């Protein structure tokens, strides 16, 4: 069974002092293999690491909120862009095909009226 991967902060190290313990005392004898595989962090350094962890988690929460806001704003912008394009199309008189058809109809009506007027004038 593998351990789940933990998220990292944007500044690099893994957030939080989880699993970190203060430096062992001189009285507790340990084998060399155990001592070599463990990191020794002095107790005085745990407070700044813990503060960093809290700051990191706060920044992650702010980042998540900002990304959610950005997604919402992009959706709103897309909707407004579609509405604007639709309004411009309607203001021009419809789609290009519809305008061509309308103009062709009036061209045909004008040509017919001109032909009738030319015949009646002779």
């Amino acid at each position: 069974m593998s351990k789940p991967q933990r998220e990292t902060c944007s500044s690099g190290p893994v957030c939080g002092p989880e699993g970190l313990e203060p430096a062992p005392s001189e009285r507790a004898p340990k084998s060399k293999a155990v001592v070599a595989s463990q990191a020794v962090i002095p107790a005085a350094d745990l407070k700044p690491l813990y503060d960093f962890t809290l700051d990191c988690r706060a920044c992650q929460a702010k980042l998540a909120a900002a990304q959610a806001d950005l997604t919402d704003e992009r959706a709103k912008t897309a909707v407004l862009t579609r509405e604007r394009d639709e309004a411009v199309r309607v203001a021009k008189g419809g789609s290009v095909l519809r305008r061509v058809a309308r103009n062709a109809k009036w061209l045909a009506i004008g040509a017919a009226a001109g032909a009738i007027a030319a015949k009646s004038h002779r």
Side-chain angles (χ1 to χ4, degrees), residues 37-70:
S37 66
Q38 292 182 349
V40 177
I41 299 176
D45 289 341
L46 287 179
K47 173 71 172 135
L49 287 172
Y50 182 71
D51 292 341
F52 171 76
T53 301
L54 294 179
D55 290 342
C56 181
R57 288 184 182 155
C59 288
Q60 286 176 341
K62 287 180 185 177
L63 176 62
Q67 287 175 336
D69 289 344
L70 178 62

Side-chain angles (χ1 to χ4, degrees), residues 5-9 13-15 60:
Q5 292 184 353
R6 297 189 307 185
E7 293 182 10
T8 60
C9 291
V14 175
C15 294
Q60 286 176 341

Side-chain angles (χ1 to χ4, degrees), residues 83-112:
E83 287 178 2
R84 182 205 59 209
D85 292 345
E86 180 67 21
V88 167
R89 187 178 64 80
V90 168
K92 286 182 177 180
S95 67
V96 173
L97 183 61
R98 183 154 177 99
R99 286 182 283 162
V100 168
R102 186 181 307 120
N103 290 338
K105 176 184 84 171
W106 284 108
L107 179 66
I109 291 172

